Amino acid sequence: MGMNRLTWHHTGGGYVPNAIDLAAYHGVIDGDGGFVQGLHQIEANAPGQAMRPGAYAAHTARLNTGNIGISVASMAGGKWADPRASRAFPKPEQIDALMNNSARLCVAYGIAPDPRFTLTHAEVEPTLGVKQRQKWDFDYPVGFVKTNTRDPVAIGNELRQELAYRIKHMANRPAPIAPATAPRPILRQGSHGNDVRLLQAKLGLEADGIFGPETRAAVAAYQKRTNLLPDGVVGTMTWDNLLGADQ
Ligand SMILES: [Zn+2]
């Protein structure tokens, strides 16, 4: 516990997080909108930790203590002058997943959707006065953001407005929202095995362990009902909902 800040990043890489990304952030949103757990536990950045190099997620210069770092696997080959030219521009579903996971973390750690506590990396220097090295994640519009300037604070404000909405929505859910203790694999059409059986049982389907079109449709319908992105892919958010529902 004791985390008091959440900072949003892009990795500067492709849609699949690599080992360096996973060491640098507590979680990375992959190109499918899945939440990939980072190498370091969030608590590795908690106040009071020794913060030895390599033992925590070093995602924001001089501001890692108490700070959760979540990154969007994106922006490979991106140039500041023309972000859209990146071969891995952040997808809307990634920003959607960024917001859902941020809402989950804000609720779990009691972090407010306030510019001092939930902010993009690009906002750290202008808002908190902590010098960064020309970080521009995100000073360009991503996902649902309508602001069409390179003003990171205006973009951050739109992200926080959406975050606040999602936190409010989550606070009204009957089931407690807590990070799953054992991460479950991301399941999608073509997956098979015991995790698919568990999923099917939770959805009231015949548990044959094969994730086909019928399972996909049932997942998408469930996601729609529970206000998740209805992409038919079972990532952390969907697992947390499914497994939390019977607590
Ligand atoms: Zn960053």
Side-chain angles (χ1 to χ4, degrees):
M1 297 309 282
M3 305 303 290
N4 50 32
R5 188 168 276 126
L6 175 63
T7 303
W8 295 311
H9 303 263
H10 61 217
T11 60
Y15 289 132
V16 178
N18 64 27
I20 295 169
D21 301 331
L22 294 176
Y25 308 104
H26 295 112
V28 181
I29 309 295
D30 70 19
D32 295 326
F35 182 86
V36 185
Q37 299 274 358
L39 177 66
H40 301 292
Q41 297 289 321
I42 285 172
E43 279 71 19
N45 287 47
Q49 294 292 329
M51 306 289 280
R52 290 189 191 89
Y56 66 96
H59 57 90
T60 303
R62 290 171 292 275
L63 201 71
N64 286 305
T65 300
N67 194 359
I68 304 171
I70 303 298
S71 195
V72 178
S74 61
M75 236 343 135
K79 293 200 168 56
W80 186 87
D82 188 7
R84 282 267 161 200
S86 165
R87 64 176 183 274
F89 189 83
K91 298 180 194 175
E93 55 263 48
Q94 288 181 288
I95 302 306
D96 187 70
L98 179 69
M99 290 295 105
N100 277 339
N101 281 285
S102 297
R104 167 176 70 81
L105 291 166
C106 283
V107 169
Y109 290 94
I111 301 171
D114 176 300
R116 292 167 295 171
F117 306 122
T118 46
L119 70 171
T120 67
H121 198 178
E123 289 180 283
V124 167
E125 193 169 315
T127 298
L128 301 176
V130 180
K131 195 113 179 103
Q132 304 295 308
R133 259 190 229 158
Q134 294 174 330
K135 295 298 183 182
W136 57 293
D137 43 342
F138 302 93
D139 78 349
Y140 52 92
V142 286
F144 54 83
V145 169
K146 290 184 179 64
T147 299
N148 201 18
T149 68
R150 301 300 294 269
D151 176 357
V153 176
I155 289 163
N157 284 340
E158 274 198 62
L159 292 171
R160 277 181 293 277
Q161 199 177 359
E162 179 66 23
L163 176 66
Y165 175 83
R166 294 189 192 203
I167 288 172
K168 193 172 160 211
H169 172 79
M170 294 188 88
N172 293 334
R173 285 186 187 181
I177 307 298
T181 44
R184 296 259 166 202
I186 295 171
L187 300 180
R188 51 171 63 84
Q189 197 166 324
S191 300
H192 54 86
N194 281 333
D195 288 300
V196 175
R197 278 192 192 92
L198 172 63
L199 167 70
Q200 292 169 323
K202 289 281 174 194
L203 293 171
L205 301 171
E206 189 200 336
D208 64 0
I210 299 162
F211 196 132
E214 214 173 295
T215 303
R216 190 193 143 84
V219 168
Y222 173 81
Q223 289 168 324
K224 209 163 186 180
R225 277 201 307 279
T226 53
N227 287 296
L228 295 167
L229 180 73
D231 59 3
V233 176
V234 182
T236 306
M237 286 296 298
T238 304
W239 271 125
D240 283 354
N241 268 276
L242 278 165
L243 298 177
D246 58 6
Q247 279 168 9

PDB file of all heavy atoms in Angstrom, residues 107-130:
ATOM      1  N   VAL A 107      -8.853   2.880  -7.480  1.00  0.00           N
ATOM      2  CA  VAL A 107      -9.765   2.391  -6.430  1.00  0.00           C
ATOM      3  C   VAL A 107      -8.983   1.543  -5.427  1.00  0.00           C
ATOM      4  O   VAL A 107      -9.115   1.710  -4.209  1.00  0.00           O
ATOM      5  CB  VAL A 107     -10.939   1.594  -7.055  1.00  0.00           C
ATOM      6  CG1 VAL A 107     -11.738   0.870  -5.981  1.00  0.00           C
ATOM      7  CG2 VAL A 107     -11.844   2.534  -7.856  1.00  0.00           C
ATOM      8  N   ALA A 108      -8.118   0.664  -5.933  1.00  0.00           N
ATOM      9  CA  ALA A 108      -7.388  -0.238  -5.035  1.00  0.00           C
ATOM     10  C   ALA A 108      -6.441   0.520  -4.102  1.00  0.00           C
ATOM     11  O   ALA A 108      -6.269   0.135  -2.946  1.00  0.00           O
ATOM     12  CB  ALA A 108      -6.616  -1.266  -5.860  1.00  0.00           C
ATOM     13  N   TYR A 109      -5.841   1.608  -4.586  1.00  0.00           N
ATOM     14  CA  TYR A 109      -4.820   2.310  -3.795  1.00  0.00           C
ATOM     15  C   TYR A 109      -5.298   3.665  -3.262  1.00  0.00           C
ATOM     16  O   TYR A 109      -4.523   4.383  -2.624  1.00  0.00           O
ATOM     17  CB  TYR A 109      -3.543   2.494  -4.626  1.00  0.00           C
ATOM     18  CG  TYR A 109      -2.821   1.181  -4.851  1.00  0.00           C
ATOM     19  CD1 TYR A 109      -3.042   0.430  -5.992  1.00  0.00           C
ATOM     20  CD2 TYR A 109      -1.926   0.687  -3.893  1.00  0.00           C
ATOM     21  CE1 TYR A 109      -2.403  -0.796  -6.180  1.00  0.00           C
ATOM     22  CE2 TYR A 109      -1.281  -0.523  -4.071  1.00  0.00           C
ATOM     23  CZ  TYR A 109      -1.514  -1.259  -5.216  1.00  0.00           C
ATOM     24  OH  TYR A 109      -0.893  -2.460  -5.390  1.00  0.00           O
ATOM     25  N   GLY A 110      -6.535   4.031  -3.567  1.00  0.00           N
ATOM     26  CA  GLY A 110      -7.058   5.292  -3.064  1.00  0.00           C
ATOM     27  C   GLY A 110      -6.378   6.509  -3.690  1.00  0.00           C
ATOM     28  O   GLY A 110      -6.096   7.490  -3.003  1.00  0.00           O
ATOM     29  N   ILE A 111      -6.109   6.424  -4.992  1.00  0.00           N
ATOM     30  CA  ILE A 111      -5.465   7.548  -5.696  1.00  0.00           C
ATOM     31  C   ILE A 111      -6.550   8.354  -6.403  1.00  0.00           C
ATOM     32  O   ILE A 111      -7.419   7.785  -7.058  1.00  0.00           O
ATOM     33  CB  ILE A 111      -4.427   7.023  -6.711  1.00  0.00           C
ATOM     34  CG1 ILE A 111      -3.355   6.193  -5.984  1.00  0.00           C
ATOM     35  CG2 ILE A 111      -3.786   8.178  -7.496  1.00  0.00           C
ATOM     36  CD1 ILE A 111      -2.417   5.449  -6.895  1.00  0.00           C
ATOM     37  N   ALA A 112      -6.481   9.695  -6.263  1.00  0.00           N
ATOM     38  CA  ALA A 112      -7.518  10.555  -6.834  1.00  0.00           C
ATOM     39  C   ALA A 112      -7.198  10.921  -8.283  1.00  0.00           C
ATOM     40  O   ALA A 112      -6.031  11.053  -8.648  1.00  0.00           O
ATOM     41  CB  ALA A 112      -7.633  11.826  -6.002  1.00  0.00           C
ATOM     42  N   PRO A 113      -8.250  11.103  -9.113  1.00  0.00           N
ATOM     43  CA  PRO A 113      -8.032  11.587 -10.480  1.00  0.00           C
ATOM     44  C   PRO A 113      -7.754  13.077 -10.483  1.00  0.00           C
ATOM     45  O   PRO A 113      -8.586  13.875 -10.889  1.00  0.00           O
ATOM     46  CB  PRO A 113      -9.345  11.230 -11.196  1.00  0.00           C
ATOM     47  CG  PRO A 113     -10.366  11.203 -10.108  1.00  0.00           C
ATOM     48  CD  PRO A 113      -9.664  10.820  -8.837  1.00  0.00           C
ATOM     49  N   ASP A 114      -6.600  13.455 -10.007  1.00  0.00           N
ATOM     50  CA  ASP A 114      -6.190  14.836  -9.760  1.00  0.00           C
ATOM     51  C   ASP A 114      -4.873  15.021 -10.506  1.00  0.00           C
ATOM     52  O   ASP A 114      -4.050  14.117 -10.518  1.00  0.00           O
ATOM     53  CB  ASP A 114      -6.005  14.961  -8.231  1.00  0.00           C
ATOM     54  CG  ASP A 114      -5.483  16.324  -7.792  1.00  0.00           C
ATOM     55  OD1 ASP A 114      -4.380  16.721  -8.209  1.00  0.00           O
ATOM     56  OD2 ASP A 114      -6.164  16.956  -6.981  1.00  0.00           O
ATOM     57  N   PRO A 115      -4.666  16.204 -11.130  1.00  0.00           N
ATOM     58  CA  PRO A 115      -3.457  16.384 -11.949  1.00  0.00           C
ATOM     59  C   PRO A 115      -2.148  16.154 -11.188  1.00  0.00           C
ATOM     60  O   PRO A 115      -1.127  15.859 -11.792  1.00  0.00           O
ATOM     61  CB  PRO A 115      -3.548  17.830 -12.433  1.00  0.00           C
ATOM     62  CG  PRO A 115      -4.797  18.407 -11.898  1.00  0.00           C
ATOM     63  CD  PRO A 115      -5.570  17.341 -11.185  1.00  0.00           C
ATOM     64  N   ARG A 116      -2.183  16.260  -9.855  1.00  0.00           N
ATOM     65  CA  ARG A 116      -0.949  16.025  -9.093  1.00  0.00           C
ATOM     66  C   ARG A 116      -0.677  14.534  -8.918  1.00  0.00           C
ATOM     67  O   ARG A 116       0.462  14.136  -8.678  1.00  0.00           O
ATOM     68  CB  ARG A 116      -1.061  16.666  -7.696  1.00  0.00           C
ATOM     69  CG  ARG A 116      -1.098  18.183  -7.706  1.00  0.00           C
ATOM     70  CD  ARG A 116      -1.517  18.710  -6.339  1.00  0.00           C
ATOM     71  NE  ARG A 116      -2.903  18.315  -6.030  1.00  0.00           N
ATOM     72  CZ  ARG A 116      -3.481  18.485  -4.843  1.00  0.00           C
ATOM     73  NH1 ARG A 116      -2.807  19.006  -3.840  1.00  0.00           N
ATOM     74  NH2 ARG A 116      -4.731  18.116  -4.643  1.00  0.00           N
ATOM     75  N   PHE A 117      -1.731  13.726  -9.018  1.00  0.00           N
ATOM     76  CA  PHE A 117      -1.588  12.315  -8.629  1.00  0.00           C
ATOM     77  C   PHE A 117      -1.824  11.327  -9.767  1.00  0.00           C
ATOM     78  O   PHE A 117      -1.355  10.188  -9.691  1.00  0.00           O
ATOM     79  CB  PHE A 117      -2.528  11.994  -7.468  1.00  0.00           C
ATOM     80  CG  PHE A 117      -2.344  12.920  -6.299  1.00  0.00           C
ATOM     81  CD1 PHE A 117      -3.401  13.672  -5.822  1.00  0.00           C
ATOM     82  CD2 PHE A 117      -1.104  13.056  -5.701  1.00  0.00           C
ATOM     83  CE1 PHE A 117      -3.232  14.540  -4.747  1.00  0.00           C
ATOM     84  CE2 PHE A 117      -0.917  13.918  -4.629  1.00  0.00           C
ATOM     85  CZ  PHE A 117      -1.981  14.668  -4.154  1.00  0.00           C
ATOM     86  N   THR A 118      -2.597  11.713 -10.764  1.00  0.00           N
ATOM     87  CA  THR A 118      -2.773  10.853 -11.934  1.00  0.00           C
ATOM     88  C   THR A 118      -2.452  11.717 -13.145  1.00  0.00           C
ATOM     89  O   THR A 118      -3.176  12.657 -13.452  1.00  0.00           O
ATOM     90  CB  THR A 118      -4.216  10.314 -12.045  1.00  0.00           C
ATOM     91  OG1 THR A 118      -5.123  11.384 -11.818  1.00  0.00           O
ATOM     92  CG2 THR A 118      -4.480   9.225 -11.039  1.00  0.00           C
ATOM     93  N   LEU A 119      -1.354  11.410 -13.785  1.00  0.00           N
ATOM     94  CA  LEU A 119      -0.901  12.304 -14.850  1.00  0.00           C
ATOM     95  C   LEU A 119      -0.031  11.575 -15.863  1.00  0.00           C
ATOM     96  O   LEU A 119       0.518  10.502 -15.578  1.00  0.00           O
ATOM     97  CB  LEU A 119      -0.151  13.512 -14.265  1.00  0.00           C
ATOM     98  CG  LEU A 119       1.226  13.335 -13.634  1.00  0.00           C
ATOM     99  CD1 LEU A 119       1.830  14.710 -13.336  1.00  0.00           C
ATOM    100  CD2 LEU A 119       1.196  12.528 -12.365  1.00  0.00           C
ATOM    101  N   THR A 120       0.038  12.168 -17.048  1.00  0.00           N
ATOM    102  CA  THR A 120       0.909  11.606 -18.080  1.00  0.00           C
ATOM    103  C   THR A 120       2.358  11.976 -17.761  1.00  0.00           C
ATOM    104  O   THR A 120       2.624  12.934 -17.021  1.00  0.00           O
ATOM    105  CB  THR A 120       0.558  12.176 -19.466  1.00  0.00           C
ATOM    106  OG1 THR A 120       0.883  13.576 -19.481  1.00  0.00           O
ATOM    107  CG2 THR A 120      -0.915  11.996 -19.804  1.00  0.00           C
ATOM    108  N   HIS A 121       3.271  11.222 -18.349  1.00  0.00           N
ATOM    109  CA  HIS A 121       4.685  11.520 -18.150  1.00  0.00           C
ATOM    110  C   HIS A 121       5.000  12.943 -18.645  1.00  0.00           C
ATOM    111  O   HIS A 121       5.780  13.668 -18.030  1.00  0.00           O
ATOM    112  CB  HIS A 121       5.529  10.487 -18.898  1.00  0.00           C
ATOM    113  CG  HIS A 121       6.944  10.435 -18.428  1.00  0.00           C
ATOM    114  ND1 HIS A 121       7.864   9.545 -18.929  1.00  0.00           N
ATOM    115  CD2 HIS A 121       7.615  11.173 -17.500  1.00  0.00           C
ATOM    116  CE1 HIS A 121       9.030   9.748 -18.322  1.00  0.00           C
ATOM    117  NE2 HIS A 121       8.910  10.716 -17.460  1.00  0.00           N
ATOM    118  N   ALA A 122       4.336  13.322 -19.737  1.00  0.00           N
ATOM    119  CA  ALA A 122       4.579  14.661 -20.303  1.00  0.00           C
ATOM    120  C   ALA A 122       4.128  15.784 -19.371  1.00  0.00           C
ATOM    121  O   ALA A 122       4.565  16.930 -19.506  1.00  0.00           O
ATOM    122  CB  ALA A 122       3.877  14.790 -21.656  1.00  0.00           C
ATOM    123  N   GLU A 123       3.246  15.478 -18.431  1.00  0.00           N
ATOM    124  CA  GLU A 123       2.762  16.496 -17.486  1.00  0.00           C
ATOM    125  C   GLU A 123       3.665  16.649 -16.271  1.00  0.00           C
ATOM    126  O   GLU A 123       3.520  17.622 -15.523  1.00  0.00           O
ATOM    127  CB  GLU A 123       1.358  16.131 -16.989  1.00  0.00           C
ATOM    128  CG  GLU A 123       0.269  16.277 -18.022  1.00  0.00           C
ATOM    129  CD  GLU A 123      -1.074  15.895 -17.424  1.00  0.00           C
ATOM    130  OE1 GLU A 123      -1.350  14.696 -17.268  1.00  0.00           O
ATOM    131  OE2 GLU A 123      -1.845  16.807 -17.082  1.00  0.00           O
ATOM    132  N   VAL A 124       4.538  15.674 -16.035  1.00  0.00           N
ATOM    133  CA  VAL A 124       5.314  15.681 -14.786  1.00  0.00           C
ATOM    134  C   VAL A 124       6.114  16.965 -14.641  1.00  0.00           C
ATOM    135  O   VAL A 124       6.096  17.612 -13.590  1.00  0.00           O
ATOM    136  CB  VAL A 124       6.222  14.425 -14.710  1.00  0.00           C
ATOM    137  CG1 VAL A 124       7.258  14.566 -13.599  1.00  0.00           C
ATOM    138  CG2 VAL A 124       5.374  13.179 -14.503  1.00  0.00           C
ATOM    139  N   GLU A 125       6.791  17.360 -15.699  1.00  0.00           N
ATOM    140  CA  GLU A 125       7.616  18.571 -15.599  1.00  0.00           C
ATOM    141  C   GLU A 125       6.765  19.838 -15.472  1.00  0.00           C
ATOM    142  O   GLU A 125       6.972  20.616 -14.534  1.00  0.00           O
ATOM    143  CB  GLU A 125       8.599  18.645 -16.760  1.00  0.00           C
ATOM    144  CG  GLU A 125       9.674  19.689 -16.525  1.00  0.00           C
ATOM    145  CD  GLU A 125      10.817  19.593 -17.531  1.00  0.00           C
ATOM    146  OE1 GLU A 125      11.297  18.470 -17.797  1.00  0.00           O
ATOM    147  OE2 GLU A 125      11.208  20.643 -18.059  1.00  0.00           O
ATOM    148  N   PRO A 126       5.774  20.083 -16.382  1.00  0.00           N
ATOM    149  CA  PRO A 126       4.997  21.316 -16.245  1.00  0.00           C
ATOM    150  C   PRO A 126       4.153  21.371 -14.972  1.00  0.00           C
ATOM    151  O   PRO A 126       3.961  22.457 -14.413  1.00  0.00           O
ATOM    152  CB  PRO A 126       4.106  21.345 -17.493  1.00  0.00           C
ATOM    153  CG  PRO A 126       4.130  19.974 -18.042  1.00  0.00           C
ATOM    154  CD  PRO A 126       5.434  19.358 -17.620  1.00  0.00           C
ATOM    155  N   THR A 127       3.618  20.255 -14.513  1.00  0.00           N
ATOM    156  CA  THR A 127       2.688  20.282 -13.377  1.00  0.00           C
ATOM    157  C   THR A 127       3.414  20.152 -12.041  1.00  0.00           C
ATOM    158  O   THR A 127       3.078  20.838 -11.083  1.00  0.00           O
ATOM    159  CB  THR A 127       1.637  19.159 -13.515  1.00  0.00           C
ATOM    160  OG1 THR A 127       0.897  19.395 -14.710  1.00  0.00           O
ATOM    161  CG2 THR A 127       0.676  19.129 -12.336  1.00  0.00           C
ATOM    162  N   LEU A 128       4.396  19.279 -11.962  1.00  0.00           N
ATOM    163  CA  LEU A 128       5.048  19.006 -10.672  1.00  0.00           C
ATOM    164  C   LEU A 128       6.424  19.654 -10.563  1.00  0.00           C
ATOM    165  O   LEU A 128       7.018  19.676  -9.490  1.00  0.00           O
ATOM    166  CB  LEU A 128       5.169  17.493 -10.456  1.00  0.00           C
ATOM    167  CG  LEU A 128       3.844  16.716 -10.447  1.00  0.00           C
ATOM    168  CD1 LEU A 128       4.108  15.230 -10.322  1.00  0.00           C
ATOM    169  CD2 LEU A 128       2.929  17.193  -9.326  1.00  0.00           C
ATOM    170  N   GLY A 129       6.937  20.167 -11.697  1.00  0.00           N
ATOM    171  CA  GLY A 129       8.235  20.819 -11.666  1.00  0.00           C
ATOM    172  C   GLY A 129       9.400  19.850 -11.472  1.00  0.00           C
ATOM    173  O   GLY A 129      10.485  20.274 -11.089  1.00  0.00           O
ATOM    174  N   VAL A 130       9.153  18.571 -11.721  1.00  0.00           N
ATOM    175  CA  VAL A 130      10.239  17.591 -11.629  1.00  0.00           C
ATOM    176  C   VAL A 130      10.782  17.373 -13.036  1.00  0.00           C
ATOM    177  O   VAL A 130      10.060  16.898 -13.919  1.00  0.00           O
ATOM    178  CB  VAL A 130       9.736  16.256 -11.026  1.00  0.00           C
ATOM    179  CG1 VAL A 130      10.882  15.243 -10.945  1.00  0.00           C
ATOM    180  CG2 VAL A 130       9.135  16.493  -9.648  1.00  0.00           C
TER     181      VAL A 130
END
